[in-house]
Amino acid sequence: MNNFPPRPSLPKSYKRKFPFRLCAPSFIYPDDYAVNVGLLGPYLDEIELLFFESDMDSSLPSPSVIRELRDLSERFHLSYNIHLPIDIDPGSADPGTRNQAVACIRHICDLTRPLSPSTYTIHLPADEAWIENRDLLDTWRTNVIGSLVRIIGREYSSRLFSVETLHYPMEWIAPVVRKLDLSVCFDVGHQLVDGLNIESFFGTYWERISVVHLHGVENRKDHIGLNRLPRETLVRIVRMLKHFSGTVSIEVFSYSHLKDSLQIFEEIWSVENQGQPCRVEERTRSGMPFT
């Protein structure tokens, strides 16, 4: 096993403390995948493995690293989810760009399949100017569907792929989500930046939401600590997640932001739930998304 370098550890374990799997990204520490998993694994339920860049030669882990990650998941009783690259465009008007996106995602899915990820989170970029051009929006949806059908193929369940909420109306991509029976990645921070009602979104899509991204927002800057959010906003988030049983990823990218986020989240969760710990048998979806 690895001898991990000395780094600050999280002050306590949060494993199996909530009705959902509590998660953090794989780059909390300025080091590689295995080191981050080794340092975070004793404290969390799941790790979000970040594959933000599509350059397969320089950024993706080797098969031997994948084997090491699988061993670490067994050692720490840990699951993974995969964040697919953000520099590709499966809905591009250019067929070559779409082909590149399909090949990249298929390669990552095949590479990480031994890790049995809970979800693959996918970015589907769109141009907000299309709101004035219905034809371009329809063509984009058609292109996205064509790419995703090729990605999913016969090997994968469509619900394994979660479409992340970005800075365009969910109504643009909702027909694709329904047609292909996809999951949804609910990025709460993105919704807060855009001034949207998070409870309304959760109530509409909760049955499809497999993963929630949480991070602080201040002056339209996101992916900072949850302690930068107003307390009343955090109370709303905690109440919303009371019956959620998927993955909640504290999507920040430094130790200090993660530590501060976990502390304030646990504090408010304890107050709102009268200090009662979650029982494992509560990890099922309720008929009501929140109370």
Side-chain angles (χ1 to χ4, degrees), residues 95-111:
T97 301
R98 295 200 302 275
N99 288 338
Q100 178 191 24
V102 169
C104 176
I105 293 174
R106 287 283 305 187
H107 177 73
I108 292 173
C109 290
D110 292 343
L111 177 69

Side-chain angles (χ1 to χ4, degrees), residues 69-82:
L69 293 175
R70 185 182 59 193
D71 291 343
L72 288 168
S73 74
E74 295 174 356
R75 175 183 175 185
F76 296 123
H77 305 287
L78 189 72
S79 56
Y80 296 111
N81 68 81
I82 309 297

Side-chain angles (χ1 to χ4, degrees), residues 6 11 20 23 40 59 105 210 253 256 282:
F20 42 78
C23 172
L40 295 170
S59 64
I105 293 174
S210 60
F253 306 112
S256 61
E282 290 175 349

Side-chain angles (χ1 to χ4, degrees), residues 239-254:
R239 290 175 178 174
M240 184 178 67
L241 294 175
K242 184 175 181 180
H243 295 293
F244 181 63
S245 62
T247 296
V248 173
S249 182
I250 309 296
E251 202 177 45
V252 296
F253 306 112
S254 74

Side-chain angles (χ1 to χ4, degrees), residues 23-240:
C23 172
S26 57
F27 292 126
I28 295 299
Y29 301 94
D31 216 313
D32 62 23
Y33 292 102
V35 170
N36 273 269
V37 172
L39 292 168
L40 295 170
Y43 303 98
L44 301 170
D45 301 307
E46 186 162 306
I47 301 296
E48 177 185 345
L49 297 176
L50 302 178
F51 297 99
F52 280 168
E53 298 177 2
S54 60
D55 184 349
M56 291 184 276
D57 292 331
S58 64
S59 64
L60 296 185
S62 66
S64 63
V65 171
I66 294 295
R67 289 192 293 271
E68 185 176 9
L69 293 175
R70 185 182 59 193
D71 291 343
L72 288 168
S73 74
E74 295 174 356
R75 175 183 175 185
F76 296 123
H77 305 287
L78 189 72
S79 56
Y80 296 111
N81 68 81
I82 309 297
H83 197 304
L84 295 166
I86 61 176
D87 61 350
I88 55 177
D89 187 358
S92 172
D94 176 56
T97 301
R98 295 200 302 275
N99 288 338
Q100 178 191 24
V102 169
C104 176
I105 293 174
R106 287 283 305 187
H107 177 73
I108 292 173
C109 290
D110 292 343
L111 177 69
T112 58
R113 197 171 185 177
L115 302 178
S116 301
S118 62
T119 190
Y120 289 96
T121 297
I122 187 167
H123 272 213
L124 297 172
D127 189 335
E128 293 186 24
W130 293 347
I131 198 167
E132 304 293 337
N133 192 321
R134 180 74 182 213
D135 290 340
L136 289 177
L137 190 56
D138 288 342
T139 299
W140 171 69
R141 288 195 190 109
T142 299
N143 291 338
V144 167
I145 290 171
S147 293
L148 292 179
V149 166
R150 294 167 60 197
I151 289 166
I152 296 167
R154 295 183 178 180
E155 299 92 335
Y156 298 97
S157 165
S158 60
R159 282 292 183 110
L160 195 56
F161 294 86
S162 54
V163 176
E164 182 166 351
T165 53
L166 301 178
H167 297 295
Y168 57 80
M170 185 64 186
E171 290 75 16
W172 286 17
I173 197 63
V176 175
V177 170
R178 290 192 294 267
K179 182 179 179 65
L180 297 184
D181 194 24
L182 304 169
S183 295
V184 170
C185 168
F186 179 22
D187 192 304
V188 175
H190 292 168
Q191 299 274 297
L192 292 173
V193 166
D194 293 336
L196 302 178
N197 186 299
I198 57 174
E199 291 92 346
S200 176
F201 184 95
F202 191 77
T204 299
Y205 293 101
W206 71 273
E207 192 274 332
R208 290 189 180 274
I209 296 172
S210 60
V211 56
V212 172
H213 289 172
L214 290 185
H215 44 92
V217 174
E218 189 174 62
N219 298 324
R220 297 191 64 83
K221 176 179 173 58
D222 57 7
H223 297 287
I224 57 178
L226 289 175
N227 57 312
R228 306 296 285 274
L229 286 174
R231 190 175 182 89
E232 57 268 26
T233 301
L234 285 168
V235 168
R236 290 167 56 203
I237 290 170
V238 162
R239 290 175 178 174
M240 184 178 67

Side-chain angles (χ1 to χ4, degrees), residues 11-22:
K12 61 183 296 186
S13 173
Y14 297 89
K15 281 183 176 292
R16 300 170 70 86
K17 290 286 184 69
F18 304 98
F20 42 78
R21 296 182 299 275
L22 190 64

